[in-house]
Amino acid sequence: GERKEALCWDILSYFDKAKLWEHAINISTELADWYRQESYDYKKMNTILLMEAQFYENIVTELRMIPEYFRVGYYGHGFRPFLRNRVFVYRGEEYEKLGPFSENIRAENPGAATMTTNTPPGEDIRLSDGRHLQICTVKPIPEDRPLLNRIDIHERIRGYYQ
């Protein structure tokens, strides 16, 4: 109920700030359905539908930079269990490149060694008591969406999904 609603509003705020309006639309649709079918709060439904309309407007009018994505491996038993020997992909901030991103990750993990190769680490590193970071840039592989090839689909919509 109220807790999920508050969380959804927070998520919407973060998606809007990050210019991830396509994701924000999914959340706003879920909220609108809840207001329509469960709470019957038409005032809030009006607010969320206006916000959703603004997300659609932003998609076709606002300039967005193509983000960089980074792969970070956390190897060794020196990391907390939820990070230990796991790999995550992060979406960079606007204009963020590998150097500044790597500096931020290293600052969050003082004393961790940075690996210089992208090959999978051996057991000597994975089972060690130390902390080893492996950081590199990755490129997303777009899904094949034949409908996006239509000429009548706005270029910014096509660009987001390609």
Side-chain angles (χ1 to χ4, degrees):
E2 291 178 20
R3 191 172 179 183
K4 182 177 179 181
E5 177 187 9
L7 184 59
C8 285
W9 280 102
D10 286 344
I11 292 169
L12 280 175
S13 172
Y14 290 124
F15 280 153
D16 188 26
K17 182 179 175 189
K19 299 182 180 182
L20 293 171
W21 299 303
E22 291 80 1
H23 296 292
I25 289 168
N26 293 335
I27 301 295
S28 64
T29 300
E30 185 178 326
L31 266 177
D33 288 345
W34 189 74
Y35 293 141
R36 184 181 301 110
Q37 299 166 0
E38 301 291 327
S39 74
Y40 298 98
D41 189 334
Y42 290 168
K43 179 114 176 92
K44 287 184 180 177
M45 188 170 72
N46 176 61
T47 301
I48 197 68
L49 291 175
L50 289 171
M51 183 180 274
E52 187 173 317
Q54 186 62 54
F55 295 149
Y56 281 106
E57 178 73 16
N58 291 347
I59 288 170
V60 295
T61 60
E62 295 289 323
L63 180 63
R64 294 190 276 185
M65 300 306 297
I66 298 170
E68 296 278 339
Y69 292 89
F70 307 100
R71 178 186 172 279
V72 181
Y74 298 86
Y75 299 106
H77 288 277
F79 286 110
R80 294 174 295 228
F82 67 90
L83 290 176
R84 188 177 302 149
N85 295 322
R86 297 197 55 200
V87 175
F88 297 89
V89 174
Y90 295 87
R91 180 180 183 267
E93 300 288 331
E94 274 191 322
Y95 303 104
E96 188 172 32
K97 298 296 179 192
L98 180 60
F101 177 82
S102 296
E103 288 175 25
N104 290 338
I105 293 294
R106 285 194 296 272
E108 290 174 8
N109 297 280
T114 303
M115 299 171 62
T116 57
T117 67
N118 288 331
T119 57
E123 283 190 16
D124 59 322
I125 290 177
R126 289 195 322 266
L127 299 177
S128 75
D129 289 332
R131 297 183 310 150
H132 303 270
L133 293 168
Q134 189 177 54
I135 307 170
C136 64
T137 303
V138 292
K139 299 288 182 205
I141 300 172
E143 293 180 27
D144 185 29
R145 296 176 184 235
L147 285 177
L148 292 177
N149 295 330
R150 292 186 0 220
I151 194 74
D152 61 331
I153 296 190
H154 196 281
E155 66 187 49
R156 291 201 175 148
I157 296 171
R158 277 196 313 268
Y160 175 82
Y161 289 103
Q162 291 176 337

